[in-house]
């Protein structure tokens, strides 16, 4: 039967006291001051650096993890289940008639710390939960015949996992050996080395009693490492940062070091892509919606540009991130990045698509424009994306999206691939926000692959109404862009890869090929024939490579060779 939480809280709150810093440098365990017996940490593997060595966790509820950690490189994660509280404990050697200070750092829901078998009054303390590290501390006195005590930590029934790190049972050595008795010294010699546009190399003088180090950027923790050097990545070009480092062991964390500043290098010349004169674009689905689930390595070689769909919004306006969906089958993010690198090595461009039908990214201010550019560039650096695709189907602000894309281009350099996938309604007039944006960034724009589907009837450039699903619909609407200011090399035809790929507007590959010939060569036209040809037309796009694979790659096998044979 479950014990009442209130009763345990009342019992557990007794004897809590704070751990204060020593007013003078502490003596080491090996060299106590004359006449004074040095206190030591009698807990073993107190920072879980040796996984669960010396610890016992009920029902295999605990494990050593590398994140989050308070000090060093590992911490304990324990997960309650059913009627269990995920208790983890250790029997420590103590001296009789002695006082010990018990403390640990905890994080998560309902974390408890206590000692039993003290021979006097057993003690415990707890916290209802926190999303950051918090120190629990109490003390106990051993009985006249007590030579060992069980120290423990646990969570609570039905609650989520809790984390523990840097346990300390500080008092006289009971004969069982010791962990470090005092927190390590503050690291010295912090220096910045090589800098790139997005990274800074740091190094410092090792501290002999440290088991790990914590790196801070502008006061915020950004890394935990075991050695005396690291590279901080994900930075913004031409930006000055302040760095500090602290040392940790089982007794706790030192104060932060003296700060050192470093400025990242100028952006530009980024790792973009090379797009052929005539290109086939395909959207790759980072989710499972019934189409064939693919890894990037499985995408047909006919595709020159692969748009990974989609980036995700964050709580910061304009900022984007990317979350690899487990449904697509990658064993790790590193495996996904390796596939991107392999596609790029094969001459393909893998870009990140922003938006989609359910996309909520909004860029409507200077701050959000900067947030978009910074986050998009960081993702390009992290994953190896060659650029971005703008597929915002809920409208965009041309003023601020233009600022965002120009800031991104300045960081990424001239090789950045920039594509757009507006709906047909967005490109009916140059006064529309999407069309304005395309014209505003014409000098850095790769291609606009308008979606010629899910739209119904629309006006062509001759003022006549055309229904989707025909050669005339493709050619007469493409004519608006071709005659409205975009270069032919910036115009592509976007269509579904199969009838299941869109709600309406599917056309067979043969109709797509006729439209390409009509626009580039003046052949294969329907009732609408452009007044001139556009031999540098970029090509075609499809939603999606997955739906194409579902249909046996019929679309890419037919349209790909046509695109690549355009004049």
């Amino acid at each position: 039967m479950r014990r009442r939480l209130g009763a345990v809280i009342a019992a557990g709150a007794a004897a809590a006291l704070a751990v204060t810093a020593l007013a003078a440098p502490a003596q080491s365990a090996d060299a106590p001051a004359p006449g004074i017996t040095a206190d030591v940490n009698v807990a073993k593997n107190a920072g879980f650096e040796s996984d669960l060595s010396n610890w016992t966790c009920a029902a295999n509820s605990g494990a050593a993890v590398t994140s989050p950690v308070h000090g060093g490189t590992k911490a304990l994660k324990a997960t309650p289940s059913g009627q269990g509280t995920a208790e983890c404990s250790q029997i420590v050697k103590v001296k009789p008639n002695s006082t010990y200070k018990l403390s640990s750092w905890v994080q998560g829901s309902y974390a408890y710390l206590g000692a039993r078998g003290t021979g006097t009054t057993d003690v415990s303390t707890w916290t209802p939960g926190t999303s950051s590290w918090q120190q629990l501390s109490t003390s106990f006195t051993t009985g006249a015949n007590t030579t060992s005590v069980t120290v423990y930590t646990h969570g609570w029934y039905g609650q989520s996992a809790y984390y523990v790190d840097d346990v300390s049972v500080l008092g006289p050595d009971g004969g069982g050996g010791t962990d470090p008795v005092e927190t390590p010294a503050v690291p010295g010699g912090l220096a910045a080395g090589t800098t790139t546009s997005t990274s800074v190399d740091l190094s410092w003088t090792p501290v002999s009693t440290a088991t790990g180090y914590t790196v801070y950027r502008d006061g915020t923790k950004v890394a935990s490492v075991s050695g005396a050097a690291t590279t901080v990545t994900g930075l913004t070009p031409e930006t000055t940062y302040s760095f500090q480092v602290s040392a940790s062991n089982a007794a706790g964390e030192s104060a932060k070091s003296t700060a050192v500043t470093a400025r990242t290098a100028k952006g530009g010349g980024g790792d973009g892509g090379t797009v052929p004169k005539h290109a086939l674009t395909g959207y790759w689905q980072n989710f499972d919606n019934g189409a064939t689930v693919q890894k990037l390595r499985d995408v047909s070689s006919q595709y020159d540009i692969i748009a990974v769909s989609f980036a995700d919004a964050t709580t910061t306006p304009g900022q984007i991130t990317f979350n690899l969906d487990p449904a697509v089958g990658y064993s790790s993010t590193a495996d996904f990045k390796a596939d991107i690198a392999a596609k790029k090595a094969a001459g393909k461009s893998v870009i990140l698509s922003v938006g989609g039908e359910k996309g909520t990214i909004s860029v409507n201010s200077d701050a959000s424009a900067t947030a978009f550019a910074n986050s998009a560039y960081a993702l390009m650096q992290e994953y190896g994306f060659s650029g971005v695709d703008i597929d915002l189907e809920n409208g965009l602000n041309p003023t601020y999206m233009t600022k965002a894309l120009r800031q991104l281009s300045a960081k990424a350099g001239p090789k950045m691939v920039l594509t757009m996938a507006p709906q047909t309604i967005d490109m009916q007039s140059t006064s529309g926000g999407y069309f304005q944006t395309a014209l505003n960034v014409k000098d850095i724009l790769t291609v606009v692959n308008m979606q010629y589907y899910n739209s119904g009837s629309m006006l062509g450039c001759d003022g006549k109404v055309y229904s989707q699903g025909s050669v005339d619909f493709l050619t007469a609407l493409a004519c608006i862009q071709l005659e409205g200011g975009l270069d032919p090399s910036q115009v592509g035809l976007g269509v579904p890869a199969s009838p299941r790929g869109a709600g309406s507007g599917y056309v067979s590959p043969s109709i797509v090929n006729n439209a390409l010939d009509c626009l580039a060569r003046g052949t294969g036209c329907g009732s609408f024939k452009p007044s001139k040809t556009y031999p540098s037309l970029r090509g075609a796009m499809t939603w999606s490579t997955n739906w194409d694979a579902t249909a046996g790659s019929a679309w890419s096998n037919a349209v790909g060779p046509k695109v690549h044979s355009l004049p």
Side-chain angles (χ1 to χ4, degrees):
M1 196 169 213
R2 294 190 183 186
R3 293 174 290 174
R4 292 180 58 207
L5 179 59
V8 177
I9 291 173
L17 47 90
V19 176
T20 57
L22 298 175
Q27 299 290 331
S28 72
D30 297 327
I36 297 177
T37 300
D39 287 341
V40 299
N41 185 7
V42 298
K44 296 292 190 66
N45 188 29
F48 302 95
E49 300 303 312
S50 298
D51 296 327
L52 295 185
S53 176
N54 301 104
W55 292 92
T56 299
C57 294
N60 296 317
S61 56
V65 296
T66 57
S67 178
V69 298
H70 176 262
T73 60
K74 295 181 182 178
L76 167 69
K77 176 184 179 181
T79 307
S81 62
Q83 297 295 312
T85 60
E87 179 177 292
C88 295
S89 63
Q90 179 179 154
I91 298 175
V92 298
K93 298 291 186 180
V94 294
K95 277 191 173 182
N97 297 319
S98 301
T99 298
Y100 291 83
K101 295 179 180 179
L102 172 64
S103 66
S104 71
W105 289 87
V106 299
Q107 181 176 323
S109 298
Y110 291 99
Y112 291 74
L113 175 69
R116 58 176 173 260
T118 62
T120 58
T121 302
D122 292 349
V123 298
S124 67
T125 184
W126 70 289
T127 176
T130 176
S131 59
S132 59
W133 288 105
Q134 174 183 350
Q135 190 176 44
L136 291 177
S137 58
T138 184
S139 65
F140 62 87
T141 300
T142 57
N145 299 309
T146 304
T147 58
S148 65
V149 169
T150 298
V151 295
Y152 63 87
T153 184
H154 67 72
W156 195 248
Y157 308 109
Q159 301 298 313
S160 57
Y162 68 96
Y163 300 85
V164 180
D165 203 359
D166 298 334
V167 179
S168 177
V169 188
L170 198 62
D173 185 1
T178 67
D179 264 7
V181 63
E182 61 187 53
T183 57
V186 177
L190 178 62
T194 302
T195 62
T196 70
S197 60
T198 60
S199 67
V200 173
D201 290 345
L202 298 174
S203 62
W204 53 91
T205 303
V207 178
S208 61
T209 59
T211 57
Y213 302 90
T214 302
V215 180
Y216 294 86
R217 183 190 70 214
D218 296 332
T220 300
K221 178 180 176 179
V222 293
S224 294
V225 297
S226 57
T230 192
T231 299
V232 180
T233 59
L235 306 179
T236 301
E238 297 184 88
T239 302
T240 299
Y241 294 93
S242 174
F243 299 97
Q244 292 172 283
V245 64
S246 66
S248 298
N249 60 21
E253 181 181 3
S254 74
K256 298 183 183 71
S257 70
T258 301
V260 64
T261 60
R263 185 172 177 82
T264 50
K266 183 178 180 180
D271 188 17
T274 301
V275 179
K277 179 181 179 181
H278 300 296
L280 195 71
T281 300
Y283 285 79
W284 176 83
Q285 297 178 188
N286 180 42
F287 51 85
D288 180 4
N289 67 345
T292 297
V293 174
Q294 292 182 310
K295 292 184 174 68
L296 286 175
R297 70 193 71 158
D298 301 323
V299 174
S300 168
S301 61
Q302 292 288 345
Y303 292 100
D304 304 292
I305 302 174
I306 303 169
V308 170
S309 311
F310 292 99
D312 296 312
T314 73
T315 56
T316 301
Q319 187 180 69
I320 61 172
T321 186
F322 178 73
N323 299 294
L324 185 63
D325 192 332
V328 300
Y330 278 101
S331 60
S332 66
T333 301
D335 193 24
F336 175 68
K337 293 177 181 178
D339 271 7
I340 293 176
K343 282 293 185 183
K344 292 171 68 176
K348 312 300 182 181
S349 295
V350 182
I351 62 178
L352 180 60
S353 183
V354 180
E357 178 186 0
K358 299 179 180 179
T360 58
I361 293 93
S362 178
V363 179
N364 54 18
S365 67
D366 285 326
S368 59
T370 299
F372 178 90
N374 288 345
S375 58
Y377 184 64
L379 292 171
M380 289 177 63
Q381 294 292 298
E382 180 180 358
Y383 287 91
F385 293 124
S386 298
V388 295
D389 168 69
I390 305 302
D391 183 17
L392 297 173
E393 298 182 10
N394 297 308
L396 55 75
N397 183 307
T399 299
Y400 294 107
M401 181 52 72
T402 297
K403 289 184 176 183
L405 294 175
R406 289 211 171 277
Q407 288 182 47
L408 177 57
S409 175
K411 296 174 184 294
K415 287 188 176 182
M416 183 184 80
V417 177
L418 173 59
T419 70
M420 293 183 176
Q423 301 171 100
T424 52
I425 190 66
D426 295 322
M427 302 299 285
Q428 285 278 282
S429 169
T430 56
S431 62
Y434 235 116
F435 213 142
Q436 286 183 42
T437 303
L439 294 175
N440 289 346
V441 297
K442 181 179 177 180
D443 57 313
I444 58 172
L445 177 64
T446 306
V447 62
V448 174
N449 291 303
M450 191 173 75
Q451 302 174 39
Y452 293 77
Y453 50 94
N454 293 339
S455 66
S457 299
M458 287 286 165
L459 290 172
C461 65
D462 57 357
K464 296 180 180 179
V465 176
Y466 293 93
S467 298
Q468 64 180 4
S470 65
V471 170
D472 289 338
F473 187 77
L474 300 178
T475 56
L477 269 67
C479 175
I480 298 176
Q481 301 168 59
L482 293 164
E483 294 301 313
L486 293 180
D487 189 86
S489 66
Q490 296 172 321
V491 176
L493 307 180
V495 297
S498 77
R500 298 175 62 191
S504 64
Y506 171 75
V507 292
S508 68
S510 62
I511 291 179
V512 180
N513 288 348
N514 286 340
L516 292 170
D517 277 337
C518 177
L519 294 169
R521 297 185 170 98
T523 62
C525 301
S527 62
F528 173 82
K529 186 171 183 177
S531 59
K532 61 182 179 181
T533 58
Y534 308 93
S536 61
L537 186 78
R538 179 67 76 174
M541 171 275 281
T542 196
W543 177 268
S544 63
T545 66
N546 305 76
W547 286 117
D548 184 27
T550 304
S553 299
W555 191 88
S556 58
N557 286 339
V559 180
K562 172 61 70 173
V563 165
H564 297 136
S565 68
L566 291 174

